[in-house]
Amino acid sequence: MSKQLNILVVGSGGREHTILRSCLKSPLVKRVIAAPGNGGMENDAQCFPVNADDCHGLLKLAKEQLIDFVIIGPEVPLALGLADILEDNGILAYGPRLAGARFESSKSFTKDFLKKYRIPTAAYETFTDANKAIDYLREQSMPIVIKASGLAAGKGVIIAQNLHEAEAAVRNMMENRCFGESGSEVVIEEFMEGEEASIMLMVCRDRFVMLPASQDHKRVGDGDTGLNTGGMGAYAPAAVVTPQIKEEVISKIINPTLAGIIAEGIDYRGTLYVGIMITQSGTKVVEFNVRFGDPETQVLLPLLETDPVSVMHEIARGELNPKEVIVRDAYATVIVVAAKGYPESFKRGEIIRLPKVTDATVDIIHAGTKKNSNGDLLSNGGRVLGVTAYGKTLREAVDKAYSLAKQIDYPSAYYRTDIAFRELNRQQKKAP
């Protein structure tokens, strides 16, 4: 491709900063901008104060800035049809159109799709009436999983240990509207025992690139304790997805899913995030998301030897050749530096001083940051920074990331000290 691209990255989190950094390294890119961006993204590129859910504002910005290609980071603009709006106006976009975005914006749609195409997943029922949902719960065994069907920023899933917790979750979602309209419909699922992993696919209709399996750490505390968060860290590749399990995932989940998507008349071009549970009775789908995971993006894109921007652009054009995509033989990890008190109450506006990074195998990615009028970097969210590293071994990557995290000067800094502990424990047991 001879013409270099002007690119707009939509979003303001660690995922989007990682994508922006990929754009800066890409020979395909002439200029990259972001909207709305964050404090770290402002250091790397021009940011515009247009919110990610302002689809028409983003279209106007793209036209004014002569943008050739838009990479849509978060799920909300996808669920609002941003890809449709852009492409209907002649601007190429990476991310599924509205029809494909339903796989994340409606859990009931996804569960019905999985059932229709006989893709393994937890048994479930869907409800729009709280009393009927509670009647159903009284006949089920515990623990049980209650999910708000709509988008809930990664927080709309409750694992209830007993009937009292389950009933409270249903009433909070359906009657108290703790997740707004997203909880007006709930999906109640059987609880699956096993180990979770994330499979990120870069999909172009019936073709796909499968990125290395990763594991996110959702709980706020060491040893997977405490409240669920948007993710406190991740690593890849995750050896729990063995070659045998990978083949099972491809044959029983990915292939029938893509065949089903085509059968439904959906032109899917973008990321399909498949959350899986590895159980004693086989590997099953936990959920679909329609964008890169955050923080998983921060470990997966650095593991791509092939330019990620070229892959996304080929997918958007419908021209992906999966055989041309090369993944590094390495390990990567990210430690999320959060504000103390996250995911509940926490301080914003604290000054952060970052160490100088000179090693190309480590990086500091911004998520919840902003700048004040003096140019100081301030905390501006619950998940504030992502400290990333890659190396020849997982131990090397983890040690590098923690070494850098300790050098960050931020009064409320909190991070887990055991990212990748399952994998490291497995490796230690195998060691002679």
Side-chain angles (χ1 to χ4, degrees):
M1 188 184 71
S2 56
K3 182 194 171 188
Q4 285 187 300
L5 301 168
N6 290 329
I7 294 183
L8 164 61
V9 177
V10 174
S12 60
R15 164 183 49 226
E16 289 77 33
H17 195 192
T18 306
I19 292 168
L20 183 72
R21 289 272 171 90
S22 294
C23 291
L24 292 169
K25 294 173 186 173
S26 172
L28 300 182
V29 179
K30 179 181 179 183
R31 179 178 179 235
V32 58
I33 64 173
N38 61 40
M41 294 167 81
E42 282 183 41
N43 288 338
D44 294 338
Q46 189 174 6
C47 293
F48 292 81
V50 182
N51 288 335
D53 60 358
D54 182 0
C55 295
H56 292 287
L58 290 165
L59 172 63
K60 183 171 179 281
L61 175 65
K63 286 181 173 179
E64 288 173 350
Q65 297 296 317
L66 304 177
I67 295 299
D68 306 297
F69 183 38
V70 179
I71 302 173
I72 306 168
E75 64 274 19
V76 171
L78 292 167
L80 293 173
L82 179 57
D84 308 62
I85 291 166
L86 291 166
E87 293 193 341
D88 290 349
N89 282 273
I91 300 171
L92 203 60
Y94 179 81
R97 285 176 164 249
L98 198 55
R102 288 186 71 195
F103 283 114
E104 184 162 2
S105 64
S106 173
K107 292 181 177 67
S108 62
F109 172 80
T110 296
K111 294 295 288 191
D112 291 345
F113 174 92
L114 295 170
K115 184 177 182 180
K116 179 177 180 179
Y117 292 99
R118 299 181 181 180
I119 298 162
T121 189
Y124 75 101
E125 291 290 341
T126 302
F127 297 92
T128 54
D129 181 291
N131 291 325
K132 288 182 180 177
I134 288 167
D135 288 342
Y136 175 79
L137 283 171
R138 288 170 180 158
E139 298 171 359
Q140 307 307 309
S141 58
M142 301 290 146
I144 201 161
V145 182
I146 297 108
K147 297 180 177 180
S149 184
L151 298 178
K155 296 171 185 151
V157 179
I158 303 294
I159 300 171
Q161 299 299 321
N162 52 54
L163 183 59
H164 175 73
E165 288 182 11
E167 287 189 18
V170 166
R171 295 210 184 275
N172 278 334
M173 289 183 194
M174 303 190 78
E175 295 178 349
N176 300 336
R177 290 291 199 264
C178 64
F179 300 117
E181 283 305 305
S182 293
S184 59
E185 180 178 58
V186 299
V187 175
I188 300 177
E189 291 183 350
E190 68 168 327
F191 177 75
M192 292 189 287
E193 289 271 10
E195 192 166 344
E196 283 193 69
S198 304
I199 306 292
M200 227 69 69
L201 308 173
M202 299 177 78
V203 175
C204 182
R205 298 173 177 141
D206 61 341
R207 287 156 284 151
F208 66 94
V209 171
M210 186 175 180
L211 299 178
S214 58
Q215 272 195 328
D216 185 12
H217 297 59
K218 286 290 185 191
R219 299 277 186 171
V220 73
D222 284 3
D224 285 339
T225 57
L227 296 172
N228 262 335
T229 71
M232 293 299 295
Y235 71 94
V240 68
V241 180
T242 62
Q244 181 182 354
I245 289 172
K246 181 179 175 181
E247 288 305 311
E248 180 187 353
V249 168
I250 291 170
S251 63
K252 295 186 178 179
I253 295 174
I254 296 173
N255 288 341
T257 293
L258 297 189
I261 285 172
I262 290 166
E264 296 292 323
I266 298 171
D267 178 6
Y268 200 102
R269 285 169 288 142
T271 303
L272 184 66
Y273 170 141
V274 184
I276 60 169
M277 184 74 77
I278 302 161
T279 76
Q280 289 188 343
S281 58
T283 303
K284 300 180 181 183
V285 174
V286 175
E287 63 179 356
F288 285 157
N289 293 324
V290 299
R291 36 70 195 183
F292 288 115
D294 192 354
E296 295 99 328
T297 311
Q298 298 174 50
V299 296
L300 293 175
L301 292 193
L303 288 178
L304 267 181
E305 192 167 303
T306 306
D307 177 7
V309 178
S310 71
V311 180
M312 288 187 261
H313 194 246
E314 285 171 9
I315 286 170
R317 298 200 321 265
E319 299 173 1
L320 176 69
N321 182 353
K323 292 179 181 176
E324 293 179 352
V325 180
I326 300 168
V327 177
R328 296 180 200 275
D329 183 16
Y331 286 87
T333 190
V334 57
I335 315 299
V336 170
V337 178
K340 189 176 181 180
Y342 173 76
E344 296 183 301
S345 59
F346 51 86
K347 285 184 182 178
R348 296 176 190 260
E350 292 188 319
I351 292 178
I352 303 169
R353 294 180 178 86
L354 300 178
K356 189 173 181 181
V357 178
T358 55
D359 182 348
T361 66
V362 297
D363 205 355
I364 297 175
I365 300 296
H366 293 243
T369 66
K370 67 177 182 179
K371 285 188 169 181
N372 65 15
S373 56
N374 297 326
D376 296 319
L377 186 68
L378 305 179
S379 62
N380 190 40
R383 293 190 298 167
V384 180
L385 300 165
V387 181
T388 68
Y390 66 89
K392 292 180 181 178
T393 67
L394 182 58
R395 181 82 267 169
E396 180 189 350
V398 167
D399 288 348
K400 282 182 185 177
Y402 276 115
S403 176
L404 183 56
K406 288 172 186 173
Q407 298 173 50
I408 294 170
D409 181 2
Y410 164 35
S412 289
Y414 167 78
Y415 50 87
R416 281 181 57 165
T417 63
D418 67 342
I419 298 304
F421 73 96
R422 286 193 186 85
E423 188 69 19
L424 291 170
N425 288 344
R426 272 192 286 268
Q427 291 182 0
Q428 192 171 1
K429 286 176 183 175
K430 287 181 182 177

